[in-house]
Amino acid sequence: MTKIIAITNQKGGVGKSTTAEALTADLKSRGYKVLAIDLDPQGNMTHTSRASTSGATALGVLTGEVEAKDAIRHTEMGDIIPAHSGLAGADAFIADTGKEYRLKEALEPVKDNYDYIIIDTPPALGILTVNALTAADSVIIPAQCDIYSLNGIDQLYKTINPVRKYCNPDLKIDGILLTRNNERTMLSKEVTELAGQLAERIGTKLFKSSVREAVAIKEAQIYQKSIFEYASKSKVAADYRAFTDEVLGKESSVNG
Ligand SMILES: Nc1ncnc2c1ncn2[C@@H]1O[C@H](COP(=O)(O)OP(=O)(O)OP(=O)(O)O)[C@@H](O)[C@H]1O
Ligand SMILES: [Mg+2]
C-alpha cells in the first residue's frame, strides 16, 4: 500500500522543503520506492534535487495537460515531479468543479509504483495545499519551536477540518515535527510542553525527534545534495534519520 504524505504548514521558512527532502532521500536510501512532488512555485525541492524544469511539471499535472508519469524526473534524491513558477497563479486557474481532486486523480495511475509519495507544499492554505491534503493519507506539520509559530497551527487545523469533511475523511495528522532548534538554547521545556498540548488538541502527537538548526542543512542545499549525501555523519542527519524511524513506526533512537 502506497502512503502519501503531505508536508504542510502555511507559515514560511519552518522547514517544510528541508523535511520533504530529508524524508524522501532517507526513505530512498532505505530501499523504498519514493516519489516527491513539489507543489511550491518557489521550487526549492526541485532545485535541491537538480530536477529539470523544462517540459512537463506539477503545473501541467494539475491542469490536466500532462499525465503524472510524463512529469516524473529520476534524480539521485529519488523520483520527483518538479514545480513550476506558474503554480503561483493556481488559485485563479484551478477553479472548476472538482478542483480539489486534481492531484489525487492524476496520481492514481502512478501511485502503485511507489511505497511513499511525499508532497512539499507552499506557505499558503490555497488550492495547492488543499490538493495536497485531498490526495494525502496523512500530514506532517514541521514547526519552529517558538510560540508564534505554534499558534499558526490552529489556523492550519481550520483548513484540514473542511478538507476532511468535504474531500478526504480519512486524512490523518501524523504529527508535529519541531525543526530548527537552537542547540545552545536547549529546547525550552515550556515550548515543548505547549507543542505537546497543541498536538493533543488537534488529535495528533509531537514527534519525539526534533531537528536542530545546523549550517550543514543550508550548505547541502547550496550544493544541491541531500543532507545524508552532504554530511552523513552530522548530528542533524541523525535527527532526520530518527524522524524517519518514527514515520516508519520504528522506535525512535534517542536524539539529543
Ligand atoms: N535544521 C535546519 N538548520 C539550518 N537551517 C535550516 C534548517 N531547516 C531549514 N533551514 C533553512 O531555513 C530556510 C527555510 O527552510 P525551508 O525552505 O525548508 O522551509 P519551508 O517551510 O519550506 O519554507 P517556505 O515556506 O518558504 O517553503 C532555508 O534556508 C533552509 O536552508
Ligand atoms: Mg518550502
Side-chain angles (χ1 to χ4, degrees), residues 39-43 53 57-60 62-63 82-94 127-128:
L39 284 193
D40 186 350
Q42 297 176 100
T53 51
T57 65
L59 180 64
L62 286 174
T63 58
H84 185 281
S85 56
L87 285 170
D91 283 284
F93 63 73
I94 304 178
I127 193 64
L128 296 170

Side-chain angles (χ1 to χ4, degrees), residues 9 11-19 40 42 44 120-123 179-181 211-215 217-218 221 236 240:
N9 188 331
K11 196 163 167 22
V14 296
K16 291 182 289 295
S17 301
T18 302
T19 299
D40 186 350
Q42 297 176 100
N44 294 336
D120 188 19
T121 62
T179 60
R180 308 188 62 184
N181 293 332
V211 181
R212 75 199 70 207
E213 177 89 15
V215 70
I217 290 283
K218 285 186 204 288
Q221 289 166 345
V236 71
Y240 268 123

Side-chain angles (χ1 to χ4, degrees), residues 113-178:
N113 301 336
Y114 296 97
D115 300 308
Y116 287 92
I117 299 180
I118 309 297
I119 311 173
D120 188 19
T121 62
L125 295 173
I127 193 64
L128 296 170
T129 295
V130 169
N131 262 270
L133 294 175
T134 301
D137 297 298
S138 67
V139 192
I140 290 172
I141 307 172
Q144 266 181 274
C145 37
D146 64 69
I147 303 291
Y148 293 149
S149 191
L150 292 175
N151 286 343
I153 294 176
D154 272 326
Q155 208 189 330
L156 171 59
Y157 191 52
K158 286 186 190 135
T159 298
I160 291 175
N161 266 340
V163 170
R164 275 183 176 150
K165 185 170 173 195
Y166 298 110
C167 307
N168 189 4
D170 297 328
L171 180 63
K172 291 185 188 63
I173 307 177
D174 280 341
I176 298 173
L177 174 69
L178 292 178

